Each structure stands twice: as C-alpha cells, then as structure tokens.
Coordinates of all heavy atoms in Angstrom, one line a residue:
N148 N 150.2 101.5 100.9 CA 151.4 102.1 101.1 C 151.6 102.8 102.4 O 152.2 103.9 102.5 CB 151.7 103.1 99.9 CG 151.8 102.4 98.6 OD1 152.2 101.3 98.5 ND2 151.4 103.1 97.5
K149 N 150.9 102.3 103.4 CA 151.0 102.8 104.8 C 151.4 101.7 105.7 O 151.2 100.5 105.5 CB 149.7 103.4 105.2 CG 149.2 104.6 104.4 CD 150.1 105.8 104.7 CE 149.6 107.0 104.0 NZ 150.4 108.2 104.2
S150 N 151.9 102.1 106.9 CA 152.2 101.2 108.0 C 151.2 101.5 109.1 O 150.9 102.7 109.4 CB 153.6 101.4 108.5 OG 153.9 100.6 109.5
V151 N 150.7 100.4 109.8 CA 149.8 100.6 110.9 C 150.4 99.8 112.0 O 150.6 98.6 111.9 CB 148.4 100.0 110.5 CG1 147.5 100.1 111.7 CG2 147.8 100.7 109.3
V152 N 150.7 100.5 113.2 CA 151.3 99.8 114.3 C 150.5 100.2 115.6 O 150.1 101.4 115.8 CB 152.7 100.3 114.5 CG1 153.3 99.7 115.8 CG2 153.6 99.9 113.3
T153 N 150.2 99.2 116.4 CA 149.4 99.4 117.6 C 150.2 99.0 118.8 O 150.9 98.0 118.8 CB 148.1 98.6 117.6 OG1 147.3 99.0 116.5 CG2 147.3 98.7 118.9
T154 N 150.1 99.9 119.9 CA 150.7 99.6 121.2 C 149.5 99.6 122.1 O 148.7 100.5 122.1 CB 151.7 100.7 121.6 OG1 152.8 100.6 120.7 CG2 152.1 100.5 123.0
G155 N 149.5 98.6 123.0 CA 148.3 98.5 123.9 C 148.6 97.5 125.0 O 149.5 96.7 125.0
I156 N 147.7 97.5 126.0 CA 147.7 96.6 127.2 C 146.7 95.5 127.1 O 146.5 94.9 128.1 CB 147.6 97.5 128.5 CG1 146.2 98.1 128.5 CG2 148.7 98.5 128.6 CD1 145.9 98.8 129.9
Y157 N 146.1 95.3 126.0 CA 145.0 94.4 125.9 C 145.4 92.9 125.8 O 144.6 92.0 125.9 CB 144.1 94.7 124.7 CG 144.9 94.9 123.4 CD1 145.1 93.8 122.6 CD2 145.4 96.1 123.1 CE1 145.9 93.9 121.5 CE2 146.2 96.3 121.9 CZ 146.4 95.2 121.1 OH 147.2 95.3 120.0
Q158 N 146.7 92.6 125.5 CA 147.2 91.3 125.3 C 148.1 90.8 126.4 O 148.0 89.7 126.9 CB 147.9 91.2 123.9 CG 147.3 90.1 123.1 CD 148.0 90.2 121.7 OE1 148.8 91.0 121.4 NE2 147.6 89.2 120.9
R159 N 149.1 91.6 126.7 CA 150.2 91.1 127.6 C 150.0 91.9 129.0 O 150.5 92.9 129.2 CB 151.5 91.5 127.1 CG 151.9 90.7 125.8 CD 153.3 91.1 125.4 NE 153.5 90.6 124.0 CZ 154.4 91.1 123.2 NH1 155.2 92.0 123.6 NH2 154.5 90.6 122.0
Y160 N 149.2 91.2 129.9 CA 149.0 91.8 131.2 C 148.5 90.7 132.1 O 148.2 89.6 131.8 CB 148.0 92.9 131.1 CG 146.6 92.4 130.9 CD1 145.7 92.2 131.9 CD2 146.1 92.2 129.6 CE1 144.4 91.7 131.8 CE2 144.8 91.7 129.4 CZ 144.0 91.5 130.5 OH 142.7 91.0 130.3
F161 N 148.6 91.1 133.4 CA 147.9 90.3 134.4 C 147.4 91.2 135.5 O 147.7 92.4 135.6 CB 148.9 89.2 135.0 CG 150.0 89.8 135.9 CD1 149.8 90.0 137.2 CD2 151.2 90.2 135.3 CE1 150.8 90.6 138.0 CE2 152.2 90.7 136.1 CZ 152.0 90.9 137.4
E162 N 146.4 90.7 136.2 CA 145.8 91.5 137.3 C 146.0 90.8 138.6 O 145.9 89.6 138.8 CB 144.3 91.6 137.0 CG 143.6 92.5 137.9 CD 142.1 92.7 137.5 OE1 141.7 92.5 136.4 OE2 141.3 93.2 138.4
A163 N 146.4 91.7 139.6 CA 146.7 91.2 140.9 C 146.1 92.2 141.9 O 146.4 93.4 141.8 CB 148.2 91.0 141.2
D164 N 145.3 91.8 142.8 CA 144.7 92.7 143.8 C 144.0 93.9 143.2 O 144.0 95.0 143.7 CB 145.7 93.2 144.8 CG 146.3 92.0 145.6 OD1 145.6 91.1 145.9 OD2 147.5 92.1 145.9
G165 N 143.3 93.6 142.0 CA 142.5 94.6 141.4 C 143.3 95.6 140.5 O 142.8 96.6 140.0
K166 N 144.6 95.4 140.4 CA 145.5 96.3 139.7 C 146.0 95.6 138.4 O 146.5 94.4 138.5 CB 146.7 96.8 140.5 CG 147.6 97.8 139.8 CD 148.6 98.4 140.8 CE 149.5 99.3 140.0 NZ 149.5 100.6 140.4
I167 N 146.1 96.3 137.3 CA 146.5 95.7 136.1 C 148.0 96.0 135.9 O 148.4 97.1 136.0 CB 145.8 96.2 134.8 CG1 144.3 95.7 134.9 CG2 146.4 95.8 133.5 CD1 143.4 96.2 133.8
Y168 N 148.8 94.9 135.6 CA 150.2 95.1 135.3 C 150.5 94.7 133.9 O 150.0 93.6 133.5 CB 151.1 94.2 136.3 CG 151.0 94.6 137.7 CD1 149.9 94.1 138.5 CD2 151.8 95.5 138.3 CE1 149.8 94.5 139.9 CE2 151.7 95.9 139.6 CZ 150.7 95.4 140.4 OH 150.6 95.7 141.7
H169 N 151.1 95.5 133.1 CA 151.4 95.2 131.7 C 152.8 95.5 131.3 O 153.6 95.9 132.2 CB 150.4 96.1 130.8 CG 150.5 97.5 131.1 ND1 151.5 98.3 130.6 CD2 149.7 98.3 131.8 CE1 151.3 99.6 131.0 NE2 150.2 99.6 131.8
H170 N 153.1 95.3 130.1 CA 154.5 95.3 129.6 C 155.0 96.7 129.2 O 156.2 96.8 128.8 CB 154.7 94.4 128.5 CG 154.0 94.8 127.2 ND1 152.6 94.9 127.1 CD2 154.5 95.2 126.0 CE1 152.3 95.3 125.9 NE2 153.4 95.6 125.2
I171 N 154.2 97.7 129.2 CA 154.7 99.1 128.7 C 155.1 99.8 130.0 O 154.3 100.3 130.8 CB 153.5 99.8 128.0 CG1 153.0 99.0 126.8 CG2 154.1 101.2 127.5 CD1 151.8 99.5 126.2
L172 N 156.4 99.9 130.1 CA 157.0 100.5 131.3 C 157.3 102.0 131.2 O 157.8 102.5 130.2 CB 158.3 99.8 131.7 CG 158.2 98.3 131.9 CD1 159.6 97.7 132.3 CD2 157.2 97.9 132.9
D173 N 156.9 102.7 132.2 CA 157.2 104.2 132.3 C 158.7 104.3 132.6 O 159.2 103.9 133.7 CB 156.4 104.8 133.4 CG 156.5 106.3 133.4 OD1 157.6 106.8 133.1 OD2 155.5 106.9 133.9
P174 N 159.5 104.9 131.7 CA 160.9 105.0 132.0 C 161.3 105.9 133.2 O 162.4 105.8 133.7 CB 161.5 105.7 130.7 CG 160.3 106.3 130.0 CD 159.1 105.5 130.5
R175 N 160.4 106.7 133.6 CA 160.6 107.5 134.8 C 160.5 106.7 136.1 O 161.2 107.0 137.1 CB 159.6 108.7 134.9 CG 159.8 109.7 133.7 CD 158.6 110.6 133.6 NE 157.5 109.8 133.3 CZ 156.3 110.3 132.9 NH1 156.1 111.6 132.9 NH2 155.3 109.5 132.6
T176 N 159.7 105.7 136.1 CA 159.4 104.9 137.4 C 159.9 103.5 137.3 O 160.2 102.9 138.3 CB 157.9 104.9 137.7 OG1 157.3 104.1 136.7 CG2 157.4 106.3 137.8
G177 N 160.0 102.9 136.1 CA 160.3 101.5 135.9 C 159.2 100.6 136.1 O 159.3 99.4 136.0
Y178 N 158.0 101.2 136.4 CA 156.8 100.4 136.6 C 155.8 100.6 135.4 O 156.0 101.5 134.6 CB 156.0 100.9 137.8 CG 156.7 100.5 139.1 CD1 157.6 101.4 139.8 CD2 156.6 99.2 139.7 CE1 158.2 101.1 140.9 CE2 157.3 98.9 140.8 CZ 158.1 99.8 141.5 OH 158.7 99.4 142.6
P179 N 154.8 99.7 135.2 CA 153.9 99.9 134.1 C 153.3 101.3 134.1 O 152.9 101.8 135.1 CB 152.8 98.8 134.4 CG 153.6 97.7 135.2 CD 154.5 98.5 136.0
C180 N 153.2 101.8 132.9 CA 152.7 103.1 132.7 C 151.2 103.2 133.2 O 150.4 102.3 132.9 CB 152.8 103.5 131.2 SG 152.1 105.1 130.8
E181 N 150.8 104.2 133.9 CA 149.5 104.4 134.3 C 148.8 105.6 133.7 O 149.3 106.7 133.9 CB 149.4 104.6 135.9 CG 149.9 103.3 136.6 CD 149.7 103.4 138.1 OE1 148.8 104.2 138.5 OE2 150.4 102.8 138.8
N182 N 147.9 105.3 132.8 CA 147.1 106.4 132.2 C 145.7 105.8 131.8 O 145.4 104.7 132.2 CB 147.8 107.1 131.0 CG 148.1 106.1 129.9 OD1 147.4 105.2 129.6 ND2 149.2 106.3 129.2
T183 N 144.9 106.5 131.0 CA 143.6 106.1 130.7 C 143.5 105.3 129.3 O 142.5 105.0 128.9 CB 142.6 107.3 130.6 OG1 143.1 108.2 129.6 CG2 142.5 108.0 131.9
L184 N 144.7 105.1 128.7 CA 144.7 104.4 127.4 C 144.7 102.9 127.5 O 145.3 102.3 128.4 CB 145.9 104.8 126.6 CG 146.1 106.3 126.3 CD1 147.4 106.5 125.4 CD2 144.9 106.9 125.6
Y185 N 144.0 102.3 126.6 CA 144.0 100.8 126.4 C 145.0 100.6 125.2 O 145.8 99.6 125.3 CB 142.7 100.2 126.1 CG 141.7 100.2 127.2 CD1 140.6 100.9 127.3 CD2 142.0 99.4 128.3 CE1 139.7 100.8 128.3 CE2 141.2 99.3 129.4 CZ 140.0 100.0 129.4 OH 139.2 100.0 130.5
S186 N 144.9 101.4 124.2 CA 145.8 101.2 123.1 C 145.8 102.5 122.2 O 144.9 103.3 122.3 CB 145.4 100.0 122.2 OG 144.2 100.3 121.5
D187 N 146.9 102.6 121.4 CA 146.9 103.6 120.3 C 147.4 103.0 119.1 O 148.3 102.1 119.2 CB 147.7 104.8 120.8 CG 149.2 104.6 120.9 OD1 149.9 104.6 119.9 OD2 149.6 104.3 122.1
T188 N 147.0 103.4 118.0 CA 147.4 102.9 116.7 C 147.9 104.1 115.8 O 147.2 105.1 115.7 CB 146.2 102.2 115.9 OG1 145.8 101.1 116.7 CG2 146.6 101.7 114.6
I189 N 149.1 104.0 115.3 CA 149.7 105.0 114.5 C 149.6 104.5 113.0 O 150.0 103.4 112.7 CB 151.1 105.3 114.8 CG1 151.2 105.6 116.3 CG2 151.8 106.3 113.9 CD1 150.6 107.0 116.7
I190 N 149.2 105.4 112.1 CA 149.2 105.2 110.7 C 150.0 106.2 110.0 O 149.8 107.4 110.1 CB 147.7 105.3 110.2 CG1 146.8 104.3 110.9 CG2 147.7 105.0 108.7 CD1 145.3 104.6 110.8
T191 N 151.1 105.7 109.4 CA 152.0 106.6 108.7 C 152.8 105.9 107.6 O 152.5 104.7 107.4 CB 153.0 107.3 109.7 OG1 153.7 108.3 109.1 CG2 153.9 106.3 110.3
D192 N 153.7 106.5 107.0 CA 154.5 105.9 105.8 C 155.5 104.9 106.3 O 155.9 104.0 105.5 CB 155.2 107.0 105.0 CG 154.2 107.9 104.3 OD1 153.0 107.5 104.1 OD2 154.5 109.0 104.0
S193 N 156.1 105.0 107.5 CA 157.2 104.2 107.9 C 156.9 103.3 109.1 O 156.3 103.8 110.1 CB 158.4 105.2 108.3 OG 159.3 104.5 109.1
S194 N 157.2 102.1 109.0 CA 156.9 101.1 110.1 C 157.8 101.5 111.3 O 157.4 101.4 112.5 CB 157.2 99.7 109.7 OG 156.2 99.3 108.8
L195 N 159.0 101.9 111.1 CA 159.9 102.3 112.2 C 159.4 103.5 112.9 O 159.3 103.5 114.2 CB 161.3 102.6 111.6 CG 162.4 103.1 112.6 CD1 162.7 102.0 113.6 CD2 163.6 103.5 111.9
T196 N 158.9 104.5 112.2 CA 158.3 105.7 112.8 C 157.0 105.3 113.5 O 156.8 105.8 114.7 CB 158.0 106.8 111.7 OG1 159.2 107.1 111.1 CG2 157.3 108.0 112.3
A197 N 156.2 104.5 112.9 CA 154.9 104.1 113.6 C 155.2 103.4 114.9 O 154.5 103.6 115.9 CB 154.1 103.3 112.6
D198 N 156.2 102.5 114.9 CA 156.5 101.7 116.1 C 157.0 102.6 117.2 O 156.5 102.5 118.3 CB 157.5 100.6 115.7 CG 157.8 99.7 116.9 OD1 156.8 99.3 117.6 OD2 159.0 99.4 117.2
A199 N 157.9 103.5 116.9 CA 158.4 104.4 117.9 C 157.3 105.3 118.4 O 157.1 105.5 119.6 CB 159.5 105.2 117.4
L200 N 156.5 105.9 117.5 CA 155.4 106.8 117.9 C 154.3 106.1 118.7 O 153.8 106.7 119.7 CB 154.8 107.5 116.7 CG 155.6 108.6 116.1 CD1 154.9 109.1 114.8 CD2 155.6 109.8 117.1
S201 N 154.0 104.9 118.4 CA 152.9 104.2 119.1 C 153.3 104.0 120.6 O 152.5 104.3 121.5 CB 152.6 102.9 118.5 OG 153.6 101.9 118.6
T202 N 154.5 103.7 120.9 CA 155.0 103.5 122.3 C 155.1 104.9 123.0 O 154.6 105.1 124.1 CB 156.3 102.8 122.4 OG1 156.2 101.5 121.7 CG2 156.7 102.6 123.8
V203 N 155.7 105.9 122.3 CA 155.8 107.2 122.9 C 154.4 107.8 123.1 O 154.2 108.4 124.2 CB 156.6 108.1 121.9 CG1 156.5 109.6 122.3 CG2 158.0 107.7 121.9
C204 N 153.5 107.7 122.2 CA 152.1 108.2 122.4 C 151.4 107.5 123.6 O 150.7 108.2 124.3 CB 151.3 108.1 121.1 SG 151.8 109.3 119.9
Y205 N 151.6 106.2 123.7 CA 151.0 105.5 124.8 C 151.6 106.1 126.1 O 150.8 106.4 127.1 CB 151.3 104.0 124.8 CG 150.5 103.3 125.9 CD1 149.2 102.9 125.6 CD2 151.0 103.2 127.2 CE1 148.5 102.3 126.7 CE2 150.3 102.6 128.2 CZ 149.0 102.2 127.9 OH 148.3 101.6 128.9
L206 N 152.9 106.3 126.2 CA 153.5 106.8 127.4 C 153.0 108.2 127.7 O 152.9 108.6 128.9 CB 155.0 106.7 127.3 CG 155.6 105.3 127.4 CD1 157.1 105.4 127.0 CD2 155.4 104.7 128.7
M207 N 152.8 109.0 126.7 CA 152.4 110.4 126.9 C 151.0 110.6 127.4 O 150.7 111.6 128.0 CB 152.6 111.2 125.5 CG 154.0 111.3 125.1 SD 154.1 112.1 123.4 CE 153.8 113.8 123.9
G208 N 150.1 109.7 127.0 CA 148.7 109.8 127.3 C 147.9 110.5 126.3 O 148.5 111.0 125.3
Y209 N 146.6 110.5 126.4 CA 145.7 110.9 125.4 C 146.0 112.4 124.9 O 146.2 112.6 123.7 CB 144.3 110.8 125.9 CG 143.2 111.3 124.9 CD1 142.9 110.4 123.8 CD2 142.6 112.5 125.0 CE1 142.0 110.8 122.9 CE2 141.7 112.9 124.1 CZ 141.4 112.1 123.0 OH 140.5 112.5 122.1
G210 N 146.0 113.3 125.8 CA 146.1 114.7 125.4 C 147.4 115.1 124.7 O 147.4 115.7 123.6
A211 N 148.5 114.7 125.4 CA 149.8 115.0 124.8 C 150.1 114.3 123.5 O 150.7 114.8 122.6 CB 150.9 114.7 125.9
A212 N 149.6 113.0 123.4 CA 149.7 112.3 122.2 C 149.0 112.9 121.0 O 149.6 113.1 119.9 CB 149.2 110.8 122.4
N213 N 147.8 113.4 121.3 CA 147.1 114.1 120.2 C 147.8 115.4 119.8 O 147.8 115.7 118.6 CB 145.6 114.4 120.7 CG 144.7 113.2 120.5 OD1 145.0 112.3 119.7 ND2 143.6 113.2 121.3
D214 N 148.3 116.1 120.7 CA 149.1 117.3 120.4 C 150.3 117.0 119.5 O 150.6 117.7 118.6 CB 149.5 118.0 121.7 CG 148.4 118.6 122.5 OD1 147.3 118.8 121.9 OD2 148.6 118.9 123.7
L215 N 151.0 115.9 119.9 CA 152.2 115.5 119.1 C 151.8 115.1 117.7 O 152.4 115.6 116.7 CB 152.9 114.4 119.8 CG 154.1 113.7 119.0 CD1 155.2 114.7 118.8 CD2 154.6 112.5 119.7
I216 N 150.8 114.3 117.5 CA 150.4 113.8 116.2 C 149.9 114.9 115.4 O 150.1 114.9 114.1 CB 149.3 112.7 116.4 CG1 149.9 111.5 117.1 CG2 148.7 112.3 115.0 CD1 151.1 110.8 116.4
D217 N 149.2 115.9 115.9 CA 148.7 117.1 115.2 C 149.8 117.8 114.5 O 149.7 118.5 113.5 CB 147.9 118.0 116.1 CG 146.5 117.4 116.4 OD1 146.1 116.5 115.7 OD2 145.8 118.0 117.3
Q218 N 151.0 117.8 115.1 CA 152.2 118.5 114.6 C 152.9 117.8 113.5 O 153.8 118.3 112.8 CB 153.2 118.8 115.7 CG 152.7 119.6 116.8 CD 153.7 119.8 117.9 OE1 154.9 119.8 117.7 NE2 153.2 119.8 119.2
L219 N 152.6 116.5 113.2 CA 153.3 115.7 112.3 C 152.5 115.6 111.0 O 151.3 115.4 111.0 CB 153.6 114.3 112.8 CG 154.4 114.3 114.1 CD1 154.4 112.8 114.7 CD2 155.7 114.8 113.9
E220 N 153.2 115.7 109.9 CA 152.6 115.5 108.6 C 152.4 114.0 108.2 O 153.3 113.2 108.6 CB 153.4 116.2 107.5 CG 153.4 117.7 107.6 CD 154.1 118.3 106.4 OE1 154.3 117.7 105.4 OE2 154.6 119.4 106.6
K221 N 151.4 113.6 107.5 CA 151.2 112.2 107.0 C 151.2 111.2 108.2 O 151.7 110.1 108.0 CB 152.3 111.9 106.0 CG 152.3 112.7 104.8 CD 153.3 112.2 103.8 CE 153.3 113.1 102.5 NZ 154.3 112.6 101.6
C222 N 150.7 111.6 109.3 CA 150.6 110.7 110.5 C 149.3 110.9 111.2 O 148.8 112.0 111.4 CB 151.8 111.1 111.4 SG 151.9 109.9 112.8
R223 N 148.6 109.8 111.4 CA 147.3 109.7 112.1 C 147.4 108.8 113.3 O 148.2 107.9 113.3 CB 146.2 109.3 111.2 CG 146.0 110.2 110.0 CD 145.4 111.5 110.5 NE 145.3 112.5 109.4 CZ 146.1 113.5 109.2 NH1 147.0 113.8 110.0 NH2 145.9 114.3 108.2
C224 N 146.5 109.0 114.3 CA 146.5 108.2 115.5 C 145.1 107.8 115.8 O 144.2 108.7 115.8 CB 147.2 108.9 116.6 SG 147.3 108.0 118.2
I225 N 144.9 106.6 116.1 CA 143.6 106.1 116.6 C 143.8 105.7 118.1 O 144.7 104.9 118.3 CB 143.0 105.0 115.8 CG1 142.8 105.4 114.4 CG2 141.7 104.5 116.4 CD1 142.6 104.2 113.4
V226 N 143.0 106.2 119.0 CA 143.2 106.0 120.4 C 142.0 105.3 121.0 O 140.9 105.7 120.8 CB 143.5 107.3 121.2 CG1 143.7 107.0 122.7 CG2 144.8 108.0 120.6
Y227 N 142.2 104.3 121.8 CA 141.1 103.6 122.5 C 141.4 103.8 124.0 O 142.5 103.4 124.5 CB 141.1 102.1 122.2 CG 140.0 101.3 122.9 CD1 138.7 101.7 122.8 CD2 140.4 100.1 123.5 CE1 137.8 100.9 123.5 CE2 139.4 99.4 124.2 CZ 138.1 99.8 124.2 OH 137.2 99.0 124.8
Y228 N 140.5 104.5 124.7 CA 140.8 104.8 126.1 C 139.6 104.6 126.9 O 138.5 104.4 126.4 CB 141.3 106.3 126.2 CG 140.3 107.3 125.7 CD1 139.5 108.0 126.6 CD2 140.3 107.6 124.4 CE1 138.6 109.0 126.1 CE2 139.4 108.6 123.9 CZ 138.6 109.2 124.8 OH 137.7 110.2 124.3
K229 N 139.8 104.6 128.3 CA 138.7 104.4 129.2 C 137.6 105.5 129.1 O 137.9 106.6 128.9 CB 139.2 104.4 130.6 CG 140.2 103.2 130.9 CD 140.7 103.3 132.3 CE 141.8 102.2 132.5 NZ 142.5 102.3 133.7

C-alpha cells in the first residue's frame, strides 16, 4: 500500500569532455542540475506525491531534501550520492 518513485541520472545521460549531461534540468539555469546526488527514492502513500517529491528532492540536493522529508508524515527518502 505504498508508492516508490525514483529520480536519478543513472539511465538518461551522456558524457562529453568529462562532464555528465542528464535530463533533470535546474529551472533556475535551464541546464542539468549539478549536485552530489545520483538518485533519490521517495516512499509514500501517493504516486503523484512521490513523483513530485523525487524530482524536487533531487533538485534541492542532499541536505535540503533530508530537511524537507523530515517535515513530512508518512514519507521516507533513500538517497544515493557521491
């Protein structure tokens, strides 16, 4: 009775000149988001909530994402980072 949704850069990416380009774009720059995360997985009751949170948490980065998830009831996050 839970939904599990993952956002990450492990599948859709390419590397050029030593830099990884992926599909998760930072809305502030329009370029691929740069942080230390490879992926995050949200576990919660709603697939819609999990999908939105997984992308938002990826964009926020490790520390801010953990702070956000800690404030939410019935929501957990698994993060894979460098």
Side-chain angles (χ1 to χ4, degrees):
N148 295 334
K149 295 288 181 186
S150 179
V151 179
V152 177
T153 299
T154 293
I156 62 169
Y157 53 88
Q158 232 175 358
R159 297 180 192 161
Y160 72 93
F161 68 91
E162 189 173 340
D164 298 324
K166 184 171 174 117
I167 292 177
Y168 295 89
H169 54 79
H170 71 290
I171 305 169
L172 302 181
D173 186 330
R175 296 166 294 190
T176 65
Y178 289 97
C180 180
E181 293 186 26
N182 61 33
T183 60
L184 300 184
Y185 287 116
S186 70
D187 67 84
T188 300
I189 303 295
I190 305 164
T191 192
D192 294 339
S193 162
S194 291
L195 179 64
T196 300
D198 186 43
L200 279 173
S201 67
T202 302
V203 167
C204 285
Y205 186 90
L206 291 168
M207 293 175 76
Y209 180 76
N213 278 338
D214 292 344
L215 174 63
I216 296 301
D217 284 346
Q218 296 176 37
L219 303 174
E220 291 183 24
K221 298 182 181 180
C222 188
R223 298 290 176 254
C224 183
I225 300 167
V226 179
Y227 180 52
Y228 61 98
K229 295 178 187 174

